[in-house]
Amino acid sequence: MNDFDLIVIGSGPGGYVAAIRASQLGMKTAIVERENLGGVCLNWGCIPTKALLRSAEVLHLAKTASAYGLKVDKADFDLEGVVKRSRGVAAQLSGGVKHLMKKNKITVIEGSATLKKGKDAPDVVVGDKTYTAKHVLLATGARARAIPQAGLEPDGKLVWTYREAMTPDVMPKRLLVIGSGAIGIEFASFYNELGSDVTVVEAVDRILPAEDAEISTFAHKSFEKQGITIKTAAQVKGLKKGKNSVTAEVSMGGKTEMIEVDRVILAIGIVANSEGLGLEALGVKLDRTHVVVDGFGRTGVKGLYAIGDLTGGPWLAHKASHEGVICVEAIHGKTAGAHPFDPWNVPGCTYSHPQVASVGLTEAQAKETGKKLKVGKFPFIGNGKAIALGAPEGLVKTIFDAETGELLGAHMVGAEVTELIQGYVIAREGELTEEDLMHTIFPHPTLSEMMHESVLAAEGRALHI
């Protein structure tokens, strides 16, 4: 007899949500965690970084208070206090996950898990104990990728990963960020706002390379306007570490430049936590460290499933949570209305200043489909709420299939766009057309009106530009 119906390995946003859904469906569930409940996202990723960025945002508002007719004398920050608040937020939410496990009668098993061949599903070994289940779900996530080159490895002092970058003991006067994806840009934005002289180096020809090129260009100009130095199509060839500084050798356009900084942040992607689990012996298929699964999380090995960052991009917490629910419901047999995971309906968000958000195809990707397109654009400067907020810089862009009216993609840069993007996500999930969106009423005055205007603009009917 099995100990559990389902054992989930990893308690990040994918794992703990999957465990809760399983419990709701009446499954006897356990979750294995080797460190902190909530995983990287709640403890070292999504949540604490947003707390840091919020502190930077408040500081920015204080510094620019005069633009709003207000007086704030000597706006400054306390680094220890900023970090303490961020860690406090993380601790509160990790404690919240612990409460949810207890509430949903989910057994929490502390330690590192390995798998070995079992009857219904692989057996789960934690320490000197072996647990059995009808189903096992892997949600072990991923970790920061290191550059496979001598001298570029993180050391926790001069060369940081996201963990050290979230808990700095000193504020670097000069900072080099290697990589311009969401993680790199968020840290660049945070440290720039707090006064660091920030340089971003990106290997490809534009920052935020997963985003639409036009949005990427807009963000690039905005970051440079704020004082961030950006070097694209550039590579860091080496780092020479001093006592309390680092000299980076940067190659760009056939020329080499030496840049001296106080600290370096590596933000060049992630590597799946797939090693040490015993997957190879079970016959699990891997693709560049990621576990290969179908749209319901099935690995092809009886009783074994995987979700989240472990299975590849997009590497986002909400993607992992959604996959967890889809997977558990498929395991349970709750298939009415079920459909496999669709990565093109996952919104992407970068919480920098300005924010960036998107869903679906970029314009370049949409063109590759061969479909005839309609593209609408609307600038923040045409929106009354944006002007009232003192945030008139930004752009909303929508891409439609000209023949069917299908919303192929939506892309945004500017204030609060990470909150706005969900409207377009619902439109894509609900298969709403351009016509449906044009006849939707958006409240006034709101930033969301720009979403409507961008849709109208695709038809040449924008009202406020």
Side-chain angles (χ1 to χ4, degrees):
M1 184 175 179
N2 290 304
D3 295 312
F4 299 96
D5 295 315
L6 175 69
I7 297 177
V8 181
I9 301 175
S11 71
Y16 85 75
V17 167
I20 291 172
R21 184 64 184 127
S23 178
Q24 290 174 342
L25 291 169
M27 301 171 71
K28 185 181 179 183
T29 306
I31 195 164
V32 182
E33 175 54 55
R34 67 182 180 185
E35 195 170 355
N36 303 113
L37 287 172
V40 169
C41 177
L42 265 65
N43 293 282
W44 293 102
C46 333
I47 301 301
T49 55
K50 304 313 164 283
L52 293 176
L53 287 161
R54 177 58 174 167
S55 292
E57 181 183 12
V58 173
L59 178 62
H60 173 77
L61 289 171
K63 286 180 176 179
T64 58
S66 61
Y68 299 86
L70 304 174
K71 293 182 179 180
V72 175
D73 294 330
K74 299 180 180 178
D76 203 352
F77 66 92
D78 169 19
L79 181 60
E80 184 178 350
V82 169
V83 173
K84 182 179 179 181
R85 176 179 183 272
S86 173
R87 301 315 307 156
V89 169
Q92 179 180 343
L93 288 170
S94 182
V97 174
K98 182 178 181 179
H99 167 73
L100 288 172
M101 297 299 98
K102 184 177 180 180
K103 176 185 175 183
N104 288 279
K105 297 179 174 60
I106 297 165
T107 300
V108 177
I109 302 169
E110 297 181 356
S112 296
T114 57
L115 304 178
K116 65 180 183 179
K117 191 173 181 180
K119 183 181 177 182
D120 297 316
D123 291 342
V124 178
V125 181
V126 182
D128 59 358
K129 293 185 178 180
T130 298
Y131 302 89
T132 61
K134 295 177 182 177
H135 310 278
V136 174
L137 174 56
L138 301 175
T140 54
R143 62 187 183 278
R145 182 188 298 275
I147 300 176
Q149 186 174 334
L152 273 68
E153 304 90 348
D155 59 14
K157 180 186 177 184
L158 298 175
V159 182
W160 293 345
T161 65
Y162 59 84
R163 292 208 176 201
E164 293 82 23
M166 278 190 284
T167 56
D169 54 352
V170 295
M171 177 56 61
K173 293 182 179 179
R174 303 162 299 175
L175 175 69
L176 173 65
V177 179
I178 304 176
S180 73
I183 295 173
I185 287 299
E186 286 180 1
F187 278 125
S189 188
F190 169 73
Y191 279 98
N192 175 70
E193 193 62 63
L194 268 60
S196 289
D197 182 3
V198 179
T199 299
V200 176
V201 174
E202 171 56 56
V204 301
D205 60 0
R206 60 189 179 90
I207 63 168
L208 296 169
E211 301 294 341
D212 182 86
E214 190 170 3
I215 299 298
S216 209
T217 298
F218 191 106
H220 185 135
K221 291 178 180 177
S222 180
F223 295 141
E224 286 192 326
K225 186 177 178 181
Q226 296 171 45
I228 298 175
T229 300
I230 299 174
K231 298 180 182 294
T232 55
Q235 290 187 327
V236 176
K237 294 294 186 180
L239 298 175
K240 184 177 180 181
K241 300 175 184 179
K243 185 177 180 180
N244 201 31
S245 66
V246 183
T247 301
E249 180 184 348
V250 180
S251 176
M252 180 178 175
K255 297 181 180 180
T256 298
E257 179 183 3
M258 307 303 288
I259 302 175
E260 186 176 0
V261 295
D262 300 302
R263 298 293 185 271
V264 176
I265 296 177
L266 295 179
I268 53 171
I270 63 175
V271 178
N273 293 324
S274 56
E275 73 278 10
L277 291 167
L279 301 183
E280 295 82 355
L282 293 172
V284 175
K285 186 177 180 182
L286 300 177
D287 179 13
R288 289 172 294 181
T289 76
H290 293 100
V291 174
V292 177
V293 295
D294 66 7
F296 292 96
R298 294 177 289 225
T299 66
V301 173
K302 182 183 176 183
L304 185 63
Y305 307 80
I307 60 169
D309 289 355
L310 178 65
T311 65
W315 298 278
L316 299 165
H318 45 279
K319 173 252 195 185
S321 297
H322 188 67
E323 283 183 313
V325 172
I326 289 175
C327 180
V328 166
E329 291 186 348
I331 290 171
H332 186 264
K334 187 178 176 63
T335 56
H339 53 80
F341 172 70
D342 180 2
W344 291 111
N345 283 346
V346 178
C349 299
T350 302
Y351 298 83
S352 50
H353 176 68
Q355 296 179 4
V356 178
S358 62
V359 65
L361 304 178
T362 65
E363 185 173 357
Q365 289 167 336
K367 286 178 178 177
E368 290 175 0
T369 67
K371 297 176 180 178
K372 185 179 179 182
L373 307 179
K374 286 183 183 178
V375 179
K377 304 173 191 177
F378 192 82
F380 271 50
I381 193 65
N383 177 261
K385 181 67 178 292
I387 294 172
L389 287 176
E393 291 189 9
L395 177 68
V396 179
K397 178 177 182 178
T398 47
I399 304 162
F400 294 92
D401 182 327
E403 294 183 0
T404 66
E406 177 189 0
L407 176 63
L408 299 175
H411 308 273
M412 317 166 83
V413 55
E416 301 303 328
V417 297
T418 58
E419 298 290 341
L420 298 176
I421 193 63
Q422 188 60 19
Y424 286 135
V425 177
I426 292 171
R428 277 185 55 82
E429 187 66 30
E431 299 182 352
L432 302 184
T433 65
E434 180 186 20
E435 189 74 17
D436 294 323
L437 289 167
M438 284 194 292
H439 286 93
T440 299
I441 299 173
F442 289 74
H444 173 80
T446 63
L447 296 175
S448 69
E449 290 176 277
M450 293 183 288
M451 299 168 65
H452 190 216
E453 290 278 9
S454 180
V455 173
L456 293 172
E459 194 64 36
R461 291 175 48 183
L463 299 171
H464 291 92
I465 50 172

